[in-house]
Amino acid sequence: MKKNAIQGMSIRTKIIISLVGLSLISLAAVSTIVGYQIHKELKQQATHQLISTVKQKSIEYNLKFQRLAEEAEAVADFASEQLQRNESLTTLNHKILMPWVNEGTGTGLNNGYGSPEISLRFQSEIPKIQRIGRMLKGIASNNNLIADAYFSTTYGIFVGDTDKQIYGLEKREAYTPSKRGWYKLAIEKNQTIWTEPYIGASSGRLMVTVATPVYGRLKKLLGVVGFDVLLKDIKKDVLAIDTGFDGYSLLISNNGKALATPNTKKGNENWDQQFKAENLLKTDNSDWNNLVAEMIKGNIGSGEFKDKETHFLAYAPVNALNASVGLVVTEKSIISPAISILKWIAAIAALISIFALFVGSSLGNSISKPILELTHLINEASTGKTKLEPIGTKCKDELGLLADAFNRLTKSLKIALDMKMKS
């Protein structure tokens, strides 16, 4: 090993490491504090925004579906009045569907529906039912949410808002209104109800129905009014909600069934088969299940769950539909501004590190170079050499003073040695 060689880290290296290390530690501390604060603020703001959005949608949907329920009830009142009129009325050019009789008495008139005996029996009722159909047509034409509007008497005479609807039903075999879910549920609950999703008999499409019973004097049941709303229309509107983040929206019935989600679609079920709606209370994700359980209680709130990554769910009730609307967004999209800021901090840290490296190198050289020169001269002087070049430095700091003192010392030693040799 070279004599008096530096062992371990040099002063220059220590200065560079100290400057770069301090700058990085400072920036790391600042970025951690700033990142945490921004992350916290963004989550709070996002939660507030999501809840505000979902509450607004809740109000909007409540008004829409409440209006449908009220219009169904208005038709029910009109139907009750019509069916209890005593005067004779003329028939209208509005098609109706007579009861299914192919497996009963009489000969079917339209693919098994109706018979001469039934037509004669309900001769006075048919014009009244046709007028209810005209009322349904007027209501449906002024509300784009209504796919089909209809009324069925307790005897099974059915009228819709359009003749097309009746033609569609005539192609079905043994269609009996009183056996359909919307009819049975309205009677069972004895009030206006919303059904779960099912396949419409006329259109074969996935829908939900608002239905209400029609009563006459002494609470005599006269029939049921129903309005169909296509699930694709609800889904289209629900999924169009702008969350402001990367995510999606959904509508869940109060028993946990999916009414509208990105995955809700009709399977291979026929019109006379029950639609198997996805039960969002029974998934493999327990955090999600717990949130949905809170959601369908009719509460307004939010929570988070993990599914590969962290998500947030904000929800609010749609009481008119016996459902709740929810917005799901990823945490990543919420905190993306914080990530961008941290990237900027990292870039600044890299620039500061380069600057600190340059400053540290320059400062280290300005300190270590005079010290190394001084060390070299001292080593030379220790061997008896007197012809030593003075240390050149422009510094006025401690190193400058040390260099000047050493230069004076070498001059004094040289003079002393010269005098000694002369004597």
Side-chain angles (χ1 to χ4, degrees):
M1 183 182 290
K2 188 178 178 180
K3 188 178 180 180
N4 295 324
I6 296 173
Q7 298 184 26
M9 287 192 296
S10 65
I11 293 176
R12 177 174 176 272
T13 304
K14 290 177 180 178
I15 291 173
I16 292 173
I17 291 174
S18 298
L19 287 175
V20 174
L22 284 172
S23 63
L24 288 177
I25 291 171
S26 299
L27 283 169
V30 169
S31 62
T32 300
I33 295 170
V34 170
Y36 172 78
Q37 211 47 45
I38 293 175
H39 184 277
K40 182 180 177 182
E41 289 294 328
L42 286 173
K43 283 178 67 173
Q44 289 178 346
Q45 290 178 12
T47 301
H48 177 74
Q49 179 180 332
L50 289 172
I51 291 177
S52 296
T53 302
V54 83
K55 282 173 66 177
Q56 183 60 40
K57 276 296 173 183
S58 168
I59 293 170
E60 179 184 325
Y61 288 145
N62 270 314
L63 290 174
K64 281 185 179 180
F65 294 116
Q66 183 60 40
R67 179 189 169 191
L68 283 176
E70 290 171 353
E71 289 180 340
E73 290 167 357
V75 173
D77 290 339
F78 177 78
S80 178
E81 292 175 3
Q82 286 295 315
L83 293 173
Q84 295 179 96
R85 293 175 67 174
N86 293 321
E87 67 269 32
S88 298
L89 301 173
T90 58
T91 57
L92 303 175
N93 185 24
H94 196 99
K95 192 170 178 60
I96 62 173
L97 182 73
M98 300 301 283
W100 174 260
V101 296
N102 199 41
E103 296 179 356
T105 58
T107 303
L109 297 177
N110 296 298
N111 299 326
Y113 292 96
S115 67
E117 295 87 352
I118 291 177
S119 297
L120 182 62
R121 177 183 174 187
F122 293 104
Q123 184 176 4
S124 63
E125 303 296 317
I126 290 174
K128 300 174 185 178
I129 295 170
Q130 288 175 325
R131 281 163 173 77
I132 297 171
R134 288 291 177 89
M135 173 75 165
L136 290 169
K137 184 176 181 179
I139 294 288
S141 62
N142 289 313
N143 193 321
N144 56 13
L145 267 179
I146 300 175
D148 287 316
Y150 44 83
F151 167 72
S152 173
T153 70
T154 54
Y155 297 106
I157 302 176
F158 183 96
V159 64
D161 60 305
T162 64
D163 291 350
K164 180 182 177 181
Q165 187 181 162
I166 305 302
Y167 287 127
L169 291 174
E170 286 179 344
K171 296 177 182 179
R172 307 296 188 190
E173 185 175 326
Y175 176 77
T176 305
S178 61
K179 293 182 179 180
R180 300 294 284 171
W182 54 270
Y183 191 103
K184 292 193 291 185
L185 189 60
I187 301 304
E188 177 189 337
K189 298 295 184 180
N190 194 28
Q191 62 183 19
T192 302
I193 56 89
W194 282 92
T195 68
E196 292 184 12
Y198 71 99
I199 309 301
S202 175
S203 64
R205 294 181 290 181
L206 192 57
M207 61 186 60
V208 292
T209 296
V210 57
T212 190
V214 178
Y215 291 102
R217 300 181 187 91
L218 303 176
K219 288 291 182 180
K220 180 184 178 182
L221 181 65
L222 302 177
V224 175
V225 171
F227 292 168
D228 291 341
V229 180
L230 294 180
L231 216 58
K232 76 176 186 65
D233 291 339
I234 297 177
K235 180 179 176 179
K236 181 179 178 181
D237 192 75
V238 169
L239 297 185
I241 299 174
D242 183 10
T243 64
F245 303 100
D246 178 21
Y248 61 91
S249 44
L250 66 158
L251 194 67
I252 303 176
S253 70
N254 285 354
N255 58 7
K257 299 293 181 66
L259 297 180
T261 72
N263 301 320
T264 305
K265 59 182 179 180
K266 180 181 178 294
N268 297 320
E269 299 91 350
N270 294 321
W271 68 272
D272 54 353
Q273 295 177 320
Q274 184 178 5
F275 174 71
K276 297 177 181 179
E278 182 182 7
N279 190 335
L280 298 180
L281 277 172
K282 297 179 180 179
T283 69
D284 296 331
N285 191 320
S286 58
D287 291 337
W288 166 263
N289 296 341
N290 293 334
L291 268 178
V292 172
E294 286 298 315
M295 178 179 177
I296 64 176
K297 289 179 182 178
N299 298 326
I300 298 174
S302 65
E304 62 181 75
F305 66 96
K306 288 190 176 181
D307 180 18
K308 295 182 180 179
E309 60 180 311
T310 302
H311 293 74
F312 289 90
L313 169 63
Y315 49 85
V318 184
N319 295 322
L321 189 57
N322 297 320
S324 291
V325 61
L327 302 179
V328 179
V329 300
T330 61
E331 182 184 40
K332 184 178 179 180
S333 66
I334 290 175
I335 65 172
S336 57
I339 294 174
S340 298
I341 292 172
L342 290 177
K343 285 181 179 178
W344 275 104
I345 292 176
I348 293 171
L351 292 174
I352 291 177
S353 297
I354 294 171
F355 179 73
L357 186 64
F358 174 76
V359 171
S361 180
S362 300
L363 183 59
N365 284 336
S366 68
I367 294 174
S368 63
K369 185 177 179 181
I371 292 176
L372 290 174
E373 289 179 356
L374 179 60
T375 303
H376 174 71
L377 290 174
I378 291 174
N379 285 331
E380 292 291 307
S382 67
T383 61
K385 292 182 179 180
T386 58
K387 292 183 179 181
L388 302 173
E389 291 294 329
I391 299 174
T393 179
K394 297 179 181 180
C395 299
K396 300 300 181 181
D397 54 13
E398 293 87 343
L399 287 174
L401 294 175
L402 180 60
D404 290 341
F406 181 79
N407 289 335
R408 288 194 300 272
L409 176 62
T410 55
K411 285 180 182 180
S412 299
L413 286 173
K414 187 176 183 303
I415 293 170
L417 289 172
D418 288 344
M419 291 178 63
K420 183 178 181 181
M421 294 194 54
K422 287 179 180 181
S423 62

